[in-house]
Amino acid sequence: MLEASHPLARRFEAAVAAVEARWEELNLRPRRLDRRELSAYRGRAAEMGWRFAADFPGGLRRLDVIVTAAFPSTPARIALVDRPPFLTWPHVEKDGVLCLFPDTTTTSVDEPYDGVAALLKEAFAMVGAAIRGELDGDFRTEFLTYWHHAERGDRNVLSLLDPGPPSRRVRVWQGVNQTIVAESDEQLRTWLQNAAPKVAASKIKSLSGAFVWLDRVPTPAEYPSSANDVYALAERNGSTDLLDELAREALPHTFVPFGALAEAGPALATAVVNRLAVVRGRAPLSAGFRPSAVPEHVVRARLFGGERCDRHSVERIDPAWIHGRDRDERVPKLRGATVAVLGCGSVGAPVAHALARAGVGKLVLVDKQVLKSANVGRHSLGVESIDDPKAPALARQIRAALPHVEVLHHVAEAQELLLRADDPLAEVDLIVSVTGDWPAESLLDEWHAAQGRRMPIVYGWTEPHAAAGHAIAISAPGDSLRAGLDAYGTPHLVAARWAQDPRRYEPACGAAFDPYGPVELGFVTSMVAQAALDALLGKIRSGTHRIWLARRAAVEAAGGAWSDELRDIAPNALEGATIFERRWGRSARILAA
C-alpha cells in the first residue's frame, strides 16, 4: 500500500469513505473484513472488504464486497461466502468471487458507490437465478472456462485439428513442454519442422489418438473423472470403435480429444487415459494371460476401468482460429493462395509478415541481399541475422511464428527468376514487388504483359522521410507499371519535393539510403499489405494507385513540401495523414479520398 499521504492513497480512502457514508444513510452497516478474512482472496490484492448477510430462497447467505488499493479505478468484486461446491453453479470462481460482468466492463470513477451498488444488485439477481437452476445452460455456453477450471494435469495441448465432425483417428506428438494433436503425420511433421527446426526428425514420433465429436457440450457433472467415464462419453456418441482400436495398441497414454458445438462455436478439450504401470514385473493389462493372448474385452475393461484420467485444456492453433477466430470469411480463400514477395527489405519484410498473419497459406520470398546492421532498426529481422541473406532468414522467422504457413525462398534477384525457363513465378496468385529497383521492375512489367496479366501485381515504394508511400495494382492487359513512370523509372507523380538532396550517404562506395524510421514506415507497409489483400480477394481495380501522405507538418519539418502535381490532383488532402486513390498514369485524376 502507498504511503497515506500519497495522492492515490488519499483517493482510495476518499472512495471508501464515500461508499461507507452512503451505506450509513441507507441504514446498512456491513462489517469490515479482518485480515484473516481478506486472506481468503489471495491473488486478488484485496485491500479492504465488507460482509453482508442477505435473504435468498432457502435462507441467509453472506456476500463479501472486496476492493483493491486501485479502487475506484478498479471496480469492486463480490464474493459469495455461503456457496455450494465449486462448479455446482456457473459464474462462481473457486474462492467464491462472482463473475458478474465481462472484464472489459467499467464503472464510474467519480461515483464509487454507484458501481458497488450495481454489482451488488447483479449479484443478488445471479445468486437467486443460480438457486432456481436458471443458469445451468451457462456451463455449456462458456464450456472452455469451466473445463479449464476443472483441469487435472499440467500438459499443454495444442490442436491443429479441423474442429468439427466426424469422430476420427488423429495423431499425437508429445514433447517436453507441449503435446501437439494433428490430423496426420505429414501435418504434424511440417508444423514441428517449422516451429522447432532444431528438433531432430528422429524425435518426431507420433502416437494414435481418437477425436470424439460429441452431440452436445458436457456440463461439469459430465466431465470424465475416470478412464471408464471417457469410454462412456465415447459410447454415448457412437465412437467406442476408435477407443477399442487404441486399446489394442496398448499405448502408454491414450489421448482422447473431444469437441462439441457450443453456442459461440466449436469447443475442444482433451482427456488422457494412462496405461497402468508395471509393478514388480507384473503388467496389469495382461495379468493372468500370456501377453499375446489377452482377450480384447479384457484389455478394454482394464484400460478403461476406474483409474483416474487426466483432463487438459486445448489451445487451438489451426488456421481458421489463428486467422480470425473462425469469424473471418476471407481465410479459406487466403489459405489457398500463393503470394510472391519480391524484396525482403524494410518494406517487403513487414508486408510478408502481414500477409502471413492475415491467412495467406504460401509465401515465396525473393531477395539476394544480406541484412546489414544499419537495416536492423527498421527491419523485422534482428541483430542475430546480420550478414545473413534476408530471404531465408525472413522465411525462418515467419515459419517459426506461424508454423502452418508454407514459406519458400530464393536467394536471387527478381530478374534471375523471371528469366528462368521453369518460370517459378508463373503459378503464383499474386506478386508484391517492393524492390525499389527499376531494372527489376521494368523487366517484371514486361514479363507480366507476356503472361497476359494473369495474376495481379502490387508494386510498392516509399518516398524519402516516408513523406508518402505508393501502392499500384496492375491486373488487366490495358494497364502497366510503365504508364506512370518515365524511361528511367521516375514516377510522373512525386508527392514531396525537397530543397536539398534527401538521400543520406555512408562512407562506402555507392552506399546511399533514404531516411525514415520504422514508425513512419508502418503506415506505408500497412497500405501496401492492404492493397495486396484486396488484389487477392478481387476488391481492387486494376490500375488503382493508392497514396499515403504523411502529416504535412512532419514533411515540412524534414525540409520538404508537397509537389505542384500533388496540389493539383489532391487539393483536399494536403494536411496529410491520409490515403487517397487515383488512376495510375501520367494525367490520372483522384478517385477517392
Side-chain angles (χ1 to χ4, degrees):
M1 185 69 176
L2 298 170
E3 293 289 335
S5 59
H6 193 285
L8 294 182
R10 292 200 302 269
R11 181 172 178 268
F12 169 77
E13 292 295 341
V16 167
V19 171
E20 291 187 328
R22 184 64 176 140
W23 279 335
E24 184 74 22
E25 291 176 12
L26 297 171
N27 201 29
L28 298 172
R29 294 179 177 81
R31 177 177 61 81
R32 277 198 181 187
L33 302 180
D34 59 34
R35 283 292 158 190
R36 180 188 61 80
E37 291 166 327
L38 284 173
S39 69
Y41 306 106
R42 293 185 184 90
R44 298 190 183 273
E47 183 65 27
M48 188 175 293
W50 302 266
R51 180 163 292 174
F52 285 90
D55 280 317
F56 288 98
L60 287 175
R61 292 183 187 267
R62 292 169 294 171
L63 292 171
D64 286 349
V65 179
I66 58 174
V67 294
T68 73
F71 180 74
S73 292
T74 298
R77 299 299 301 269
I78 312 297
L80 180 62
V81 181
D82 303 305
R83 58 188 184 273
F86 183 49
L87 295 181
T88 301
W89 289 349
H91 311 301
V92 183
E93 299 192 21
K94 191 169 290 187
D95 59 1
V97 172
L98 304 179
C99 297
L100 298 171
F101 296 109
D103 291 341
T104 54
T105 301
T106 58
T107 57
S108 171
V109 298
D110 297 326
E111 300 293 340
Y113 174 79
D114 290 350
V116 173
L119 288 167
L120 282 169
K121 181 179 180 181
E122 184 67 20
F124 291 140
M126 177 181 287
V127 172
I131 292 171
R132 295 188 296 273
E134 297 170 0
L135 302 181
D136 290 351
D138 292 359
F139 278 129
R140 292 192 169 92
T141 303
E142 302 172 12
F143 166 75
L144 294 179
T145 295
Y146 298 109
W147 179 270
H148 177 72
H149 285 322
E151 268 192 295
R152 297 197 311 204
D154 57 1
R155 194 184 299 269
N156 185 17
V157 180
L158 306 181
S159 170
L160 286 162
L161 301 177
D162 178 9
S167 298
R168 57 196 181 270
R169 285 180 70 112
V170 294
R171 304 303 297 175
V172 180
W173 177 81
Q174 297 181 72
V176 176
N177 299 314
Q178 293 179 330
T179 296
I180 315 296
V181 184
E183 298 284 1
S184 66
D185 281 329
E186 180 183 6
Q187 183 188 44
L188 193 55
R189 281 193 300 270
T190 299
W191 194 93
L192 284 168
Q193 286 167 357
N194 288 339
K198 293 183 180 180
V199 176
S202 61
K203 298 289 186 182
I204 304 178
K205 296 180 179 178
S206 65
L207 303 172
S208 295
F211 178 57
V212 175
W213 187 257
L214 308 179
D215 59 0
R216 62 185 176 86
V217 177
T219 64
E222 300 168 312
Y223 295 171
S225 295
S226 67
N228 185 58
D229 291 340
V230 174
Y231 196 88
L233 196 61
E235 188 172 36
R236 287 198 298 272
N237 291 273
S239 302
T240 55
D241 56 327
L242 296 173
L243 300 193
D244 292 343
E245 292 174 9
L246 296 182
R248 289 194 288 271
E249 296 182 25
L251 302 168
H253 307 287
T254 300
F255 280 82
V256 186
F258 59 84
L261 187 61
E263 184 177 313
L268 303 184
T270 291
V272 181
V273 175
N274 301 303
R275 187 172 63 193
L276 300 175
V278 175
V279 179
R280 297 177 183 176
R282 181 176 178 273
L285 284 184
S286 59
F289 300 90
R290 294 192 305 277
S292 60
V294 185
E296 287 187 8
H297 71 279
V298 173
V299 172
R300 182 179 66 238
R302 290 177 176 178
L303 179 62
F304 294 104
E307 294 294 321
R308 163 186 159 129
C309 71
D310 296 332
R311 294 192 295 248
H312 303 287
S313 294
V314 171
E315 284 287 340
R316 284 181 57 187
I317 54 172
D318 57 283
W321 184 252
I322 292 289
H323 305 293
R325 304 190 189 197
D326 287 333
R327 299 296 194 276
D328 193 336
E329 297 177 353
R330 303 172 301 173
V331 170
K333 185 169 184 177
L334 294 176
R335 281 292 298 156
T338 300
V339 176
V341 179
L342 311 185
C344 298
S346 56
V347 176
V351 167
H353 269 286
L355 294 177
R357 293 185 183 282
V360 171
K362 183 177 180 180
L363 294 174
V364 181
L365 308 179
V366 181
D367 199 308
K368 195 170 187 176
Q369 295 181 343
V370 300
L371 182 74
K372 305 307 292 184
S373 59
N375 302 136
V376 170
R378 59 187 192 186
H379 202 284
S380 60
L381 295 172
V383 294
E384 74 281 356
S385 298
I386 289 175
D387 287 333
D388 289 343
K390 295 177 187 177
L394 182 61
R396 287 193 298 270
Q397 189 181 64
I398 295 174
R399 284 194 294 259
L402 299 163
H404 59 279
V405 176
E406 183 179 358
V407 190
L408 307 179
H409 68 269
H410 296 275
V411 181
E413 293 180 342
Q415 298 96 311
E416 297 175 43
L417 269 64
L418 296 173
L419 296 172
R420 276 173 43 174
D422 60 345
D423 216 352
L425 299 180
E427 300 304 320
V428 303
D429 299 293
L430 169 72
I431 295 174
V432 180
S433 181
V434 283
T435 63
D437 179 0
W438 171 235
E441 293 190 330
S442 64
L443 186 63
L444 176 62
D445 192 31
E446 293 186 34
W447 173 90
H448 196 203
Q451 294 281 332
R453 311 286 187 196
R454 288 186 307 176
M455 81 288 287
I457 296 182
V458 170
Y459 297 89
W461 69 85
T462 304
E463 293 191 23
H465 294 283
H470 301 263
I472 295 93
I474 304 294
S475 58
D479 298 314
S480 69
L481 177 65
R482 283 294 301 271
L485 307 172
D486 66 19
Y488 300 94
T490 302
H492 297 310
L493 172 64
V494 176
R497 300 289 184 184
W498 307 90
Q500 298 179 345
D501 184 358
R503 289 178 296 176
R504 299 292 184 265
Y505 298 89
E506 299 176 21
C509 180
F513 64 95
D514 287 328
Y516 51 76
V519 176
E520 303 93 324
L521 187 61
F523 297 102
V524 180
T525 58
S526 293
M527 179 186 67
V528 174
Q530 184 64 64
L533 281 182
D534 288 346
L536 269 177
L537 298 169
K539 295 182 177 181
I540 190 170
R541 177 181 168 188
S542 179
T544 294
H545 178 193
R546 290 180 181 171
I547 305 175
W548 156 258
L549 298 179
R551 292 181 303 109
R552 183 176 70 175
V555 176
E556 292 175 350
W562 297 134
S563 68
D564 291 340
E565 298 92 338
L566 180 69
R567 293 175 183 277
D568 179 46
I569 68 168
N572 297 324
L574 299 181
E575 286 304 311
T578 189
I579 293 175
F580 70 90
E581 289 186 0
R582 65 188 286 266
R583 283 287 294 162
W584 174 241
R586 175 186 286 274
S587 59
R589 308 297 293 181
I590 189 170
L591 294 176

